[in-house]
Amino acid sequence: MLAPAAGTTGTPATDFHAAWVRALDALEVDVAAAEELLRTAHLAPVDEVARAAVWQPPRDLGTLPVSLRERGQALLDRQLEVARRTAEALVRSRRQLVAADALRPVRPDLPVYVDAQA
């Protein structure tokens, strides 16, 4: 279980609730960052995008408290929307790559010789 926030000396139940609030806060920041990356993906450095993909879920939190269920569900809905938009962005990128490849001039694989004496 996560340690209580600095300055808290509540009961185990309030510490448990506070740990979940901190976990949801952190996840909300990560989802907002992913949404922003989708919005400005062409502007973000590659290492920033790679860091966003390395998220690890917190451990030893137990089940989500009932009082945070609505917030957790809203956050899950946002995550699913980000995942859907990410998949759409990948499809668009693949289509753009195929179109760009189609516009490149075709070069023969074999050398072409011209008979200059004929």
Side-chain angles (χ1 to χ4, degrees):
M1 186 161 150
L2 295 176
T8 63
T9 57
T11 66
T14 59
D15 291 344
F16 174 72
H17 188 272
W20 263 106
V21 168
R22 287 192 307 276
L24 290 176
D25 288 345
L27 186 56
E28 199 159 24
V29 168
D30 289 342
V31 171
E35 290 168 337
E36 182 66 11
L37 280 173
L38 278 171
R39 192 179 69 73
T40 62
H42 62 287
L43 303 174
V46 173
D47 61 330
E48 183 181 336
V49 175
R51 270 195 311 275
V54 182
W55 180 81
Q56 293 291 322
R59 296 174 186 228
D60 301 328
L61 279 181
T63 58
L64 182 69
V66 174
S67 61
L68 296 174
R69 184 179 186 280
E70 188 174 315
R71 181 179 178 197
Q73 184 63 51
L75 195 48
L76 175 61
D77 293 343
R78 282 178 63 195
Q79 283 181 304
L80 293 173
E81 177 63 15
V82 166
R84 183 191 65 75
R85 289 175 49 208
T86 300
E88 287 175 355
L90 286 170
V91 169
R92 281 192 307 274
S93 291
R94 286 185 186 134
R95 287 179 183 157
Q96 288 174 347
L97 284 172
V98 168
D101 285 343
L103 295 175
R104 288 192 177 101
V106 178
R107 295 186 183 139
D109 291 336
L110 301 172
V112 177
Y113 296 97
V114 176
D115 184 0
Q117 296 178 355

